[in-house]
Amino acid sequence: MPSLPKKPDVSGALRVLAGLALIAFLASSAVARNVPAFFSFSELVELYRTNDLSPEHAQRLRLLLNTPFVENNFAAPTRLSETERLGPYVRVASWNIERGLEFDAIAKLFTDPAAFEGMLDPEKFPPNSEERAELLEEAAALRTADVIILNEADWGMARTDYRHVVAELAGVMKMNYAFGVQFVELSPVALSLDEPKNDLEKEVLDVIRVDPARYKGLHGTAILSRFPLENVRAQQLEFQPYDWFRAEKKGPSMLEKGKREVSKRIFLEKTLREVRRGGRMMLTADIVDPRFPGGRFTVVATHLENRSKPEERRRQLNEILGRIKTIDNAVVFAGDMNTSGQDLKPTSIGRELNKRFGNPKFWIKTVAKYALGVGLFEDIVMGAITFGRSQADPTVRHIPIISPNPERKFFTKLEAFRFEDGGQFDFGGDKLRSVGGKGEKLANSNQRAALGFVTTYRVERPIKFIGKSKLDWIFVKPIRGTEMKTGSSLPFAPHFGRTLRAVNEAVPERISDHRPLIVDLPFEPVHEDRLKYD
């Protein structure tokens, strides 16, 4: 009897097919995430030495600068933040953490109240003192943030012990994160190749010696969230008013060196060359949860150029607004916007002469001075008036010649901006919805002081008001409501925006040169009657 044909052994084939399917899945997943390859140290040397990149390196750099790194490792919290006054709400924070130089302090601040308190200097913050109580209250408020925007976060930099600052913070805080690369830092590479050009570079080289095996040189902006992140985009801005590679590689002019030396002596501010590839960018993500009204809100995080004129920062703002105008849900737009009101581009004698003598405003002002019979005294008085009005409030009215405020148009542009759905940023100031009972513009989202806003940035050694500025902002687009009751806010309208002054002083040299901000966004309309009683 003829033998029956054997059944084919498909188990091995199935295993092969399964393996191929797994490889295909992993490959497609990698392609979908489009994770860029990092540059090796030898390639970073090439990025520093070569002005015009090869097509391959240029494409890899573009991919690195426009690809977000996203990790959704944690489920949304089972309970939402809620108070009797606001109902359920989301607390948003924004903080320029100065690279994460004080990483341990930041990590303890967010995760270990007892360890954080143990770091405090008992002489500066005595037990049971008002100073300590204020600092710990601010720390508790920041610790409950649901979404955190971070500027100036390092990844693979010697100055921050080669940490991926955002990933490590997100891990210990049990938060999801998105990170966008702003710059590939090449100065440490340069210091390892070239002779230091000044005493400061020698000082830095003595402290920081790059480990080529660990160095990635990435620096950027991040969004941390207790809720899942979707639709994450990292986008370099097209308009870059300062070339951080060519200008910094060339080095400062003699006049700029003098200006930096004065800054170092008076304010203890040291300026090091920062040779970088990249530029200013925006990082956008949807924060999603079915309990939110509409199921999501969008965070737009940015860090605008500091070495630029105010009108150039406005061009960057216009570009961002053009990209987000179609968003039809609530929006939080936040970060370090460098609204100093100053032209902070590195200077030269030629540039200074052109600013003065090539500018018709200079001649108008000069003629007016002589017509009025005043000179140096007028310069001093006018300068004091201008600085006094705008140093803590870059939104104040622009008065040509007498008291100019070149930053004013930044805010008038934002206030007039309309999304395609008719929504707009909330510029309101309500005594019942702001810290300190301030009823002036933007007080609900950004804390005001007696004069202007509470400043967010200060140099190492400010002199009275000089050396402090309001650079960091949170702007909120609420959800448009229909038939709103008089005295009620829109859903997601900003409430009780704060600048946390004390918490940043927890360590001897400050956690950062910028202070953190927080704001609360209630899901439901909040009637003023609920806010009249604590």
Side-chain angles (χ1 to χ4, degrees):
M1 182 176 177
S3 61
L4 295 174
K6 293 182 179 180
K7 291 183 179 179
D9 182 5
V10 298
S11 59
L14 287 175
R15 285 195 295 271
V16 171
L17 288 174
L20 291 174
L22 178 60
I23 292 171
F25 171 77
L26 293 174
S28 65
S29 176
V31 170
R33 292 179 64 186
N34 208 18
V35 177
F38 299 116
F39 288 100
S40 67
F41 191 79
S42 62
E43 290 172 329
L44 291 171
V45 170
E46 189 68 17
L47 260 62
Y48 169 72
R49 285 180 167 165
T50 307
N51 288 341
D52 299 316
L53 298 180
S54 68
E56 178 195 354
H57 281 171
Q59 175 59 24
R60 286 179 59 192
L61 181 63
R62 278 193 296 272
L63 185 62
L64 184 61
L65 295 172
N66 290 281
T67 302
F69 294 82
V70 184
E71 293 291 345
N72 277 308
N73 294 325
F74 299 99
T78 55
R79 296 184 61 182
L80 298 170
S81 300
E82 186 170 358
T83 65
E84 187 175 344
R85 301 175 79 195
L86 297 180
Y89 69 93
V90 166
R91 174 164 291 174
V92 176
S94 181
W95 196 3
N96 180 324
I97 57 170
E98 197 180 2
R99 301 164 174 82
L101 294 172
E102 295 288 348
F103 178 88
D104 289 339
I106 297 170
K108 289 175 181 175
L109 164 61
F110 280 106
T111 63
D112 193 335
F116 179 71
E117 185 172 5
M119 297 175 60
L120 303 183
D121 182 344
E123 293 186 5
K124 186 177 180 181
F125 301 102
N128 303 317
S129 66
E130 292 183 7
E131 292 81 6
R132 178 176 287 238
E134 179 187 8
L135 187 151
L136 294 179
E137 185 278 326
E138 288 187 356
L142 186 58
R143 196 174 297 121
T144 58
D146 300 291
V147 176
I148 305 169
I149 293 101
L150 296 179
N151 290 127
E152 291 196 13
D154 277 356
W155 184 358
M157 294 288 295
R159 64 195 177 195
T160 41
D161 200 25
Y162 301 100
R163 286 187 169 96
H164 185 348
V165 168
V166 173
E168 289 192 39
L169 283 176
V172 296
M173 295 163 64
K174 294 182 171 48
M175 298 180 81
N176 305 307
Y177 77 85
F179 175 80
V181 179
Q182 187 173 51
F183 294 111
V184 178
E185 301 280 357
L186 300 174
S187 289
V189 177
L191 287 174
S192 68
L193 300 174
D194 303 335
E195 287 295 320
K197 298 187 183 312
N198 52 51
D199 291 340
L200 179 55
E201 290 193 358
K202 291 177 183 175
E203 179 184 330
V204 172
L205 187 58
D206 287 340
V207 175
I208 299 175
R209 295 189 178 275
V210 172
D211 179 352
R214 302 170 67 194
Y215 189 81
K216 288 186 174 63
L218 306 182
H219 182 73
T221 292
I223 300 169
L224 280 66
S225 172
R226 300 193 192 283
F227 303 92
L229 299 162
E230 291 184 358
N231 196 25
V232 183
R233 292 90 73 201
Q235 299 168 288
Q236 286 273 302
L237 299 181
E238 293 181 8
F239 177 63
Q240 301 289 345
Y242 185 69
D243 188 333
W244 283 91
F245 178 74
R246 285 176 172 80
E248 292 291 296
K249 191 174 180 181
K250 181 180 178 181
S253 66
M254 290 299 294
L255 193 60
E256 177 65 17
K257 287 179 181 178
K259 188 177 78 171
R260 294 182 182 186
E261 183 63 26
V262 169
S263 178
K264 176 182 174 182
R265 291 178 182 275
I266 295 178
F267 300 113
L268 300 182
E269 287 296 293
K270 300 179 180 180
T271 306
L272 183 69
R273 281 193 312 157
E274 292 185 277
V275 182
R276 301 159 148 179
R277 295 277 190 179
R280 304 302 180 177
M281 50 84 73
M282 57 187 289
L283 179 67
T284 310
D286 290 344
I287 314 298
V288 298
D289 191 279
R291 294 166 291 182
F292 297 159
R296 69 184 57 229
F297 68 96
T298 302
V299 172
V300 182
T302 193
H303 188 175
L304 300 183
E305 188 56 71
N306 63 322
R307 296 193 178 182
S308 66
K309 302 175 183 179
E311 56 265 33
E312 292 171 328
R313 280 189 289 276
R314 287 201 302 276
R315 281 189 61 181
Q316 293 189 317
L317 172 67
N318 288 338
E319 190 176 333
I320 292 171
L321 295 179
R323 292 179 179 182
I324 68 174
K325 67 183 301 182
T326 59
I327 299 174
D328 58 5
N329 46 255
V331 174
V332 175
F333 174 39
D336 180 357
M337 303 192 188
N338 276 310
T339 50
S340 64
Q342 305 296 315
D343 176 359
L344 295 179
K345 279 191 173 179
T347 193
S348 66
I349 291 175
R351 188 162 183 264
E352 292 302 312
L353 288 173
N354 185 63
K355 279 168 60 178
R356 287 161 174 76
F357 301 109
N359 187 340
K361 291 181 181 179
F362 170 83
W363 294 107
I364 294 170
K365 186 174 180 180
T366 301
V367 171
K369 283 165 53 178
Y370 281 102
L372 294 171
V374 294
L376 180 61
F377 178 75
E378 182 266 0
D379 275 343
I380 294 172
V381 172
M382 291 299 185
I385 291 172
T386 299
F387 186 80
R389 292 177 70 244
S390 61
Q391 63 89 25
D393 188 357
T395 72
V396 294
R397 182 184 172 192
H398 170 71
I399 305 175
I401 301 176
I402 297 173
S403 185
N405 175 21
E407 211 70 75
R408 164 79 170 183
K409 290 182 181 178
F410 185 96
F411 298 93
T412 56
K413 173 69 179 178
L414 264 175
E415 188 172 12
F417 176 72
R418 296 294 181 271
F419 290 81
E420 287 188 355
D421 65 357
Q424 63 193 89
F425 289 112
D426 187 327
F427 266 61
D430 187 323
K431 291 183 178 180
L432 291 174
R433 304 179 197 277
S434 64
V435 173
K438 303 294 182 182
E440 299 155 276
K441 184 176 292 187
L442 282 169
N444 294 351
S445 51
N446 294 269
Q447 186 179 355
R448 281 187 170 270
L451 296 174
F453 293 87
V454 177
T455 54
T456 61
Y457 168 84
R458 71 173 179 85
V459 296
E460 184 69 22
R461 184 171 65 189
I463 301 173
K464 295 292 184 182
F465 296 109
I466 302 174
K468 299 179 182 179
S469 299
K470 169 66 170 167
L471 303 183
D472 308 83
W473 299 87
I474 298 178
F475 302 105
V476 180
K477 173 205 175 192
I479 298 172
R480 296 187 70 202
T482 56
E483 301 181 5
M484 295 296 299
K485 291 176 60 178
T486 301
S488 285
S489 63
L490 293 171
F492 262 75
H495 284 68
F496 309 120
R498 291 180 66 186
T499 297
L500 306 180
R501 291 176 281 192
V503 72
N504 205 40
E505 308 300 321
V507 297
E509 296 185 4
R510 302 175 300 175
I511 294 177
S512 170
D513 51 2
H514 291 250
R515 295 164 169 170
L517 315 176
I518 59 173
V519 69
D520 294 339
L521 310 176
F523 296 177
E524 306 164 352
V526 178
H527 195 274
E528 60 187 17
D529 288 345
R530 290 167 58 181
L531 303 173
K532 291 178 180 178
Y533 310 101
D534 290 330

